[in-house]
Amino acid sequence: MTRKKRIKIYSSNGKKALLLSPDEILIIKNDPSYEKNYEAEFNKGKQAFEVRNYYAIGFWKDLLYVLIGAFLSTVAIDYFISITGNAGLFPGGLGAIARFFSIIGANNITVSASTLYFIIYFIMNIPLVVFGFMKIGWKFSTLTLIYSVVSIFFDLILQNIPYINPNELSLLIDYNLISSVPGAWGAIIWIFAFAIFGGMINGFSYSITYKANASTGGSDWITYYYSKKLNKDIGSLNIKINIFILFIVICLNTIILKTEHIDQTIKLSAVYNEYDNWDSLISSDLGKHLDKVFSEVKDSSMNESWKNLKNNWNSDDWFNISKYVSSTTEFDSSYTNAIIWKMKFKWIIGPSLFASLILIIIQGLTVNRLYPKNKVLNLFISTTKINDIQQYLFSVGYTNNIFIWRTVTSKKNAWNDQEQDLIMISMPLLYFKKIEDYLMKIDEDMIINIIGSKSVKGKNFSYTFDNELREKALTEEFMNNGKLMKKIENNTIIKTHKKMKKIGDNIQNEV
């Protein structure tokens, strides 16, 4: 009797092998656990296939974008936002909350406020990472996580480089210096200048990061998700969410703000309007403090105004005294709670809020300009390979209509006319940029006529590519790979064989 031929079954890593007959393989495949094991191995192999494809084609380009974006964002925070101090700019969104806590923490530990900002911001992103992996996808979430981590390292590097660190190098002007000088009205102007430049750099950073199919973290996890779901511009969504969070944070920061950080003009307004006669002033702690100062300093231009107030109260002399009081921190301890809260109320709608609003608006407008997610192009493609193009569009998730015309084209000096198909499709600019190179490789003689579209009306037009279609195309490509499917089958056989051995089934041992 002829001995049945045995087949050697190798695992995908080559470390395990079985020597089985065709009948034994059939027994294993008919086992109830085989189908479940095959499904697990198939999903595992498909995910590995997708990861390998991504790392081979797009990962390194996306990673470069993320690194550039993280560096620019770090520059914006370190040199334009954190440098404005406790009463300065706030970036909006969860970044505003992180900056608020970094201001509190920097007063208690020996870490710079900007470094603490990036650390707190990273910690706040941890639960959102889980949301990202569940709702958005592993590519987006992985790159966003990388962005958050490298931002910390970029900050640590910039903070410790001599001469060019934010404390020594002022890209516009030494804001800390001019804001500490009594009566430096120019500080208000410069905080708006910092807001404009910081917003532009941050917007450019965000745009580059979005082009890598990632985000800067924080509220971007939510805005990116809903911008895809609702077909809305990311910049517009960011502006709305960031402004809401910003106002809350400015209010909280104002509560803990020390009077020494409040702008001189706001102090002047609160002090000047608090008192309107000599009796109410001299009976207050502020009046007693002033009386002591002017009694000790005889030769002062303020002494004459002080004497005039005592003899005959008038608004001009009181304005001079109020201006003197607000230009220094010497009298901060003499303010009543009522004056302090008036100052803080005025501060809520003061330079910090309006400059931060300018930063957020400039940032959002820059994102919309550089990342025109919903700018639609109409493409007229003349080609002889219509089926290949349709299949490729399907594989990347294109879902809008494809209009096809059969045409005859003539070229000067050509021997024969050429039959070609004319295809018209509509898609967002960003998606076309991603597929343009590969699309042109399908047909080297292809001609694409690109026409911009002012707007698209109709609920059936999609601004995004369908992930399910891309998933289906990826699955088909994976299943057509005979080598990979054979590995999955072998792994399933080995896994099922191992389980059958445990329950005592008589199957050949491994070799």
Side-chain angles (χ1 to χ4, degrees):
M1 183 175 179
T2 306
R3 185 180 178 183
K4 290 184 178 181
K5 181 181 178 182
R6 290 189 174 275
I7 303 170
K8 188 171 287 189
I9 307 294
Y10 289 98
S11 63
S12 58
N13 58 15
K15 294 182 178 179
K16 192 175 182 65
L18 296 176
L19 193 61
L20 302 172
S21 68
D23 290 340
E24 289 172 330
I25 292 175
L26 185 61
I27 292 172
I28 292 174
K29 288 185 175 182
N30 289 329
D31 188 83
S33 64
Y34 180 84
E35 185 176 347
K36 183 178 180 181
N37 291 336
Y38 185 88
E39 182 180 357
E41 288 295 324
F42 181 87
N43 291 333
K44 180 180 176 181
K46 192 180 78 167
Q47 184 177 7
F49 178 74
E50 181 182 3
V51 172
R52 282 196 301 272
N53 276 2
Y54 174 62
Y55 280 100
I57 299 172
F59 173 74
W60 299 109
K61 181 180 179 180
D62 289 344
L63 179 62
L64 178 61
Y65 281 164
V66 167
L67 293 178
I68 295 174
F71 177 76
L72 291 175
S73 182
T74 305
V75 169
I77 294 294
D78 283 356
Y79 290 92
F80 292 94
I81 298 176
S82 290
I83 202 69
T84 57
N86 296 359
L89 295 171
F90 286 81
L94 289 188
I97 300 175
R99 174 144 158 72
F100 171 69
F101 284 115
S102 70
I103 289 172
I104 298 175
N107 294 327
N108 302 314
I109 58 178
T110 57
V111 177
S112 70
S114 58
T115 300
L116 195 57
Y117 162 84
F118 285 108
I119 295 173
I120 294 173
Y121 190 65
F122 172 76
I123 294 172
M124 292 174 66
N125 271 281
I126 292 176
L128 292 170
V129 171
V130 179
F131 170 82
F133 275 102
M134 293 175 59
K135 295 292 185 179
I136 302 176
W138 65 269
K139 294 178 187 176
F140 177 90
S141 303
T142 301
L143 289 169
T144 302
L145 187 60
I146 291 173
Y147 174 96
S148 299
V149 173
V150 298
S151 293
I152 299 175
F153 287 101
F154 281 139
D155 173 76
L156 291 173
I157 292 171
L158 290 176
Q159 292 287 342
N160 291 283
I161 298 179
Y163 304 114
I164 68 169
N165 64 74
N167 295 320
E168 296 183 60
L169 176 64
S170 302
L171 293 184
L172 291 181
I173 195 171
D174 194 333
Y175 185 84
N176 285 328
L177 178 62
I178 64 169
S179 61
S180 64
V181 176
W185 294 68
I188 297 178
I189 298 174
W190 277 109
I191 195 174
F192 283 92
F194 275 68
I196 293 172
F197 282 95
M200 291 174 62
I201 295 174
N202 245 356
F204 188 60
S205 162
Y206 287 14
S207 301
I208 293 176
T209 308
Y210 291 150
K211 287 179 180 179
N213 293 315
S215 83
T216 59
S219 57
D220 282 351
W221 293 96
I222 310 299
T223 55
Y224 187 90
Y225 173 72
Y226 280 104
S227 72
K228 293 180 67 176
K229 198 175 183 68
L230 303 175
N231 289 329
K232 299 291 186 181
D233 286 326
I234 289 180
S236 301
L237 284 173
N238 267 339
I239 289 175
K240 295 175 183 177
I241 293 177
N242 289 347
I243 287 176
F244 173 76
I245 297 177
L246 173 67
F247 184 76
I248 300 299
V249 170
I250 291 287
C251 291
L252 294 175
N253 188 59
T254 302
I255 293 174
I256 67 170
L257 194 66
K258 296 179 181 179
T259 53
E260 64 189 66
H261 295 137
I262 296 177
D263 182 73
Q264 175 192 340
T265 55
I266 293 176
K267 285 185 177 182
L268 172 60
S269 177
V271 172
Y272 178 76
N273 291 296
E274 181 68 16
Y275 304 100
D276 57 5
N277 62 77
W278 174 258
D279 292 335
S280 61
L281 174 61
I282 199 63
S283 62
S284 67
D285 289 339
L286 177 61
K288 293 173 183 178
H289 195 163
L290 284 167
D291 193 47
K292 181 181 178 182
V293 169
F294 294 132
S295 64
E296 294 175 354
V297 183
K298 302 297 182 181
D299 297 327
S300 170
S301 60
M302 292 292 104
N303 280 53
E304 190 65 29
S305 294
W306 184 250
K307 291 178 182 178
N308 291 339
L309 286 177
K310 185 175 182 179
N311 297 325
N312 183 23
W313 184 276
N314 65 86
S315 59
D316 290 339
D317 288 322
W318 174 229
F319 180 80
N320 290 334
I321 295 294
S322 299
K323 187 176 178 181
Y324 170 71
V325 169
S326 61
S327 66
T328 176
T329 59
E330 180 183 355
F331 300 96
D332 286 359
S333 60
S334 303
Y335 296 140
T336 63
N337 288 333
I339 293 178
I340 292 174
W341 282 109
K342 284 180 181 179
M343 291 178 183
K344 291 188 174 184
F345 179 76
K346 290 176 182 290
W347 180 257
I348 290 176
I349 52 175
S352 178
L353 175 62
F354 282 100
S356 297
L357 286 174
I358 293 295
L359 185 148
I360 291 172
I361 292 171
I362 294 294
Q363 176 180 292
L365 293 175
T366 304
V367 170
N368 280 345
R369 178 64 179 173
L370 299 179
Y371 184 75
K373 177 179 178 293
N374 290 348
K375 182 177 181 181
V376 176
L377 300 178
N378 294 318
L379 308 178
F380 292 86
I381 304 173
S382 177
T383 179
T384 58
K385 298 183 178 180
I386 182 174
N387 292 330
D388 292 340
I389 290 176
Q390 286 188 98
Q391 184 61 37
Y392 173 67
L393 291 173
F394 172 79
S395 71
V396 296
Y398 178 80
T399 58
N400 294 318
N401 292 331
I402 299 178
F403 299 96
I404 303 172
W405 294 272
R406 182 70 62 180
T407 64
V408 178
T409 62
S410 297
K411 293 184 179 180
K412 187 177 181 180
N413 297 327
W415 290 102
N416 296 306
D417 292 338
Q418 298 177 338
E419 288 191 2
Q420 290 191 323
D421 292 311
L422 180 64
I423 305 174
M424 193 201 85
I425 57 176
S426 299
M427 68 173 64
L429 169 63
L430 287 175
Y431 285 100
F432 175 66
K433 290 293 185 182
K434 294 175 182 178
I435 70 171
E436 179 181 5
D437 291 340
Y438 191 87
L439 195 63
M440 294 296 295
K441 291 178 182 178
I442 296 177
D443 182 1
E444 294 182 355
D445 296 323
M446 176 193 300
I447 297 175
I448 302 179
N449 189 4
I450 304 172
I451 301 175
S453 179
K454 184 177 181 181
S455 64
V456 178
K457 304 294 183 181
K459 63 181 181 179
N460 293 325
F461 183 83
S462 176
Y463 285 91
T464 59
F465 280 8
D466 192 332
N467 288 329
E468 292 184 6
L469 281 179
R470 278 185 284 186
E471 183 75 15
K472 185 177 179 180
L474 179 69
T475 302
E476 290 180 357
E477 183 181 353
F478 174 64
M479 292 180 67
N480 290 331
N481 191 315
K483 187 176 180 181
L484 291 177
M485 297 306 296
K486 186 64 177 177
K487 287 182 178 180
I488 289 174
E489 182 182 12
N490 288 350
N491 285 343
T492 307
I493 291 173
I494 291 172
K495 188 175 182 179
T496 307
H497 169 266
K498 183 178 180 180
K499 185 174 182 179
M500 293 176 68
K501 278 186 61 181
K502 286 184 178 179
I503 60 177
D505 285 345
N506 185 22
I507 298 293
Q508 174 72 30
N509 291 332
E510 56 260 46
V511 296

